Amino acid sequence: MSLAWRVTATVVASAGFAAVWVHRFVLQAMFWRIEPASTGTWVSLGTVGVALLSPLLVYLWLTRRQLRAPATFQRDGAAFVAPGSPVQAGFLAIALMSQAANTFPFDRVPGTDRIGLPTDPVLQGFIALPALTVLAALALLWLPGAGLRLTPAGVTVRNVFRTHDIRWDDLLPGGPHPGRWTIRLLHRRPDGVARSRRIAVFRLHVNTVFLTTVLRHYAERPEHRADIGTQTELDRLGTGFQQWKAQPAVRGGRPYQPPVTPA
């Protein structure tokens, strides 16, 4: 996730937090005075609905071109990189920030129609819950997050808290296959024991079928691994994938994903 998208998501999420906060601590008291009371309730529900949905719709419009993940990688030195998706992380952060503002404890100021923070020490302790939610949303946006890196040596899968390195020669044949949310890499551990590693592709900004095709290609064609990280190799992968997409689909189930052939 690039710096620009981190800043954009933070601004939209903060605006969502502020909108819900204003509803709870400013507008809600005004709605209590509306007669009949049922009308005030419906107006209040409609207002909070707008406050909750508006940031999500704004971010959806801003990321409309990012919804279709590209069939390519970014170059980073001698590596191809699939960065984290700005869509998934941004939407989750916005939802967390709005929910944090919505769960702030409040109380009516004695003798007035105004709303403020509670004076009861027990209720004040609940302020820690939305505060932790805000920190979780910011951490989701600003910690390194998900990512995948291809080098001539192998694959590095990065999660929020740790990374996993898998050598090309340790990948087992027959995979991976594209899935809706994850793909599964079968590989051998250093002690020779076979195991699998799931990659949450919905968190990556790369076409899933393209990614699985390229992973299988490098696992089966070691002679192309030394070119990983070059622009020529990246162009060759894209050309080969577009040629494969142009082929007619096979009836009777999921078509076999062939390795990308040289252009």
Side-chain angles (χ1 to χ4, degrees):
M1 191 173 179
S2 67
L3 176 61
W5 282 117
R6 293 178 195 271
V7 173
T8 300
T10 301
V11 170
V12 176
S14 300
F17 180 92
V20 177
W21 178 278
V22 169
H23 170 269
R24 167 153 291 199
F25 290 94
V26 179
L27 300 180
Q28 189 168 231
M30 297 170 54
F31 299 145
W32 284 346
R33 306 188 192 103
I34 296 177
E35 296 293 341
S38 58
T39 301
T41 300
W42 283 111
V43 172
S44 179
L45 291 174
T47 305
V48 73
V50 170
L52 291 171
L53 291 177
S54 294
L56 296 173
L57 294 176
V58 169
Y59 196 71
L60 176 63
W61 183 81
L62 293 174
T63 58
R64 64 193 183 280
R65 296 181 181 177
Q66 307 294 320
L67 296 175
R68 185 185 295 274
T72 188
F73 298 109
Q74 296 180 5
R75 292 178 56 211
D76 182 15
F80 293 145
V81 176
S85 171
V87 178
Q88 185 264 353
F91 274 110
L92 185 54
I94 292 169
L96 287 174
M97 290 281 277
S98 297
Q99 184 61 27
N102 197 42
T103 55
F104 254 95
F106 68 94
D107 200 359
R108 180 178 294 188
V109 178
T112 70
D113 288 334
R114 293 186 295 106
I115 296 175
L117 294 175
T119 56
D120 189 332
V122 176
L123 293 178
Q124 288 178 348
F126 285 99
I127 296 177
L129 296 178
L132 291 175
T133 305
V134 170
L135 291 177
L138 295 176
L140 185 67
L141 292 176
W142 290 97
L143 288 179
L148 186 137
R149 187 180 182 90
L150 307 183
T151 66
V155 184
T156 298
V157 182
R158 187 183 71 228
N159 296 319
V160 177
F161 299 108
R162 59 183 303 184
T163 59
H164 304 278
D165 295 316
I166 303 173
R167 298 188 308 165
W168 292 117
D169 292 335
D170 290 336
L171 290 178
L172 298 176
H177 293 285
R180 182 178 298 273
W181 303 107
T182 63
I183 61 175
R184 190 160 56 101
L185 282 180
L186 301 176
H187 65 96
R188 296 185 186 89
R189 296 192 311 192
D191 57 7
V193 176
R195 65 169 302 175
S196 65
R197 175 73 58 188
R198 289 195 176 274
I199 301 176
V201 289
F202 71 95
R203 300 180 61 189
L204 300 177
H205 193 50
V206 65
N207 181 279
T208 303
V209 179
F210 173 78
L211 175 61
T212 54
T213 304
V214 170
L215 289 175
R216 177 178 292 187
H217 166 64
Y218 286 129
E220 297 176 353
R221 303 291 293 275
E223 65 271 19
H224 292 297
R225 298 172 188 169
D227 296 327
I228 293 176
T230 65
Q231 185 62 47
T232 301
E233 177 71 1
L234 186 61
D235 294 339
R236 187 184 69 82
L237 293 176
T239 301
F241 182 72
Q242 295 302 324
Q243 291 174 349
W244 172 80
K245 283 180 60 180
Q247 298 175 359
V250 178
R251 290 187 177 183
R254 178 182 296 171
Y256 170 71
Q257 310 295 327
V260 179
T261 56

